[in-house]
Amino acid sequence: AIHTLPRIQAVVLNNRRSILEAYIDAGIDPDEIVVGRGWGSLLLIAAISNNTEMVEFLFEKGAKPRRSYMWLPSESSILDEVAWCNVHEKPAENWEKTALSFLERGVIFSGLHMAKELCRMPNAPHLLEVALRNGLDIHRTWESRSLLHIAARRNTPHLMKTILSHAPEQVNIHEIIRT
């Protein structure tokens, strides 16, 4: 359901956990789509705000880390949406814990923006390991670029080492230089 609920959006943005719990206990779906300043689920709003505690609370209340859109054939990871917002709208600093909250619930990312954002995270190798356990395809490419190419271009040797430990055949210097 889509509702205009600017108050509940403010509750999420201001980390008012007890008020949000009252809303949920009164019947508001934790996967509610909120129309206000932009639109998205309560979980997306909390994640974009880099409010890991609110993200965790929403997960505890049953929020789903993926959602379906009418125009897309499969579910989309809210983690990919957060990465897109970080790249195009409002970059969040130190959102590694928020990303890890999604990954620990079995989410994998499928977007180029999350691959790029991963390179900015200090503990990227650990996040990659979690994503790989969830089924991330280490050979996946985005616009003809592999995660190794993205990590090399962003000068992240610690992440490159992790990638190569899982896919040593990707070491093809010609491909890296050409990209």
Side-chain angles (χ1 to χ4, degrees):
I2 298 176
H3 295 281
T4 303
L5 296 170
R7 287 188 180 136
I8 198 167
Q9 185 176 15
V11 166
V12 171
L13 290 171
N14 292 310
N15 200 24
R16 304 297 301 267
R17 182 178 169 155
S18 61
I19 295 173
L20 181 59
E21 188 164 29
Y23 272 112
I24 292 170
D25 290 346
I28 295 292
D29 183 352
D31 288 317
E32 192 73 43
I33 302 298
V34 179
V35 178
R37 187 171 180 223
W39 69 285
S41 69
L42 299 174
L43 184 59
L44 177 63
I45 292 164
I48 288 172
S49 302
N50 197 21
N51 187 336
T52 306
E53 288 145 16
M54 188 61 76
V55 167
E56 288 291 328
F57 174 72
L58 284 163
F59 280 137
E60 288 169 18
K61 290 296 185 177
K64 296 174 191 74
R66 296 175 191 82
R67 63 181 180 159
S68 296
Y69 295 103
M70 293 181 290
W71 58 88
L72 291 176
S74 62
E75 288 186 332
S76 170
S77 163
I78 292 176
L79 183 60
D80 283 320
E81 293 180 65
V82 175
W84 186 92
C85 289
N86 280 342
V87 169
H88 293 288
E89 293 178 5
K90 183 187 121 195
E93 292 301 319
N94 304 317
W95 72 284
E96 184 173 308
K97 281 177 64 178
T98 298
L100 190 56
S101 290
F102 282 87
L103 293 171
E104 287 174 340
R105 282 163 180 82
V107 171
I108 59 173
F109 57 89
S110 58
L112 171 64
H113 299 301
M114 186 56 207
K116 289 178 177 179
E117 285 292 290
L118 181 67
C119 294
R120 290 187 332 124
M121 297 179 179
N123 201 11
H126 174 67
L127 274 74
L128 178 60
E129 293 285 353
V130 175
L132 290 169
R133 283 194 301 269
N134 294 343
L136 178 71
D137 179 4
I138 193 77
H139 299 96
R140 179 181 182 126
T141 60
W142 298 272
E143 300 171 11
S144 301
R145 290 176 281 179
S146 70
L147 186 54
L148 180 62
H149 291 114
I150 295 166
R153 184 165 227 171
R154 297 208 176 328
N155 194 23
T156 56
H158 60 292
L159 184 56
M160 292 172 63
K161 183 178 178 179
T162 303
I163 295 165
L164 290 171
S165 73
H166 289 278
E169 72 283 355
Q170 287 193 21
V171 127
N172 182 336
I173 195 72
H174 174 66
E175 288 297 315
I176 294 173
I177 291 172
R178 193 171 55 146
T179 322

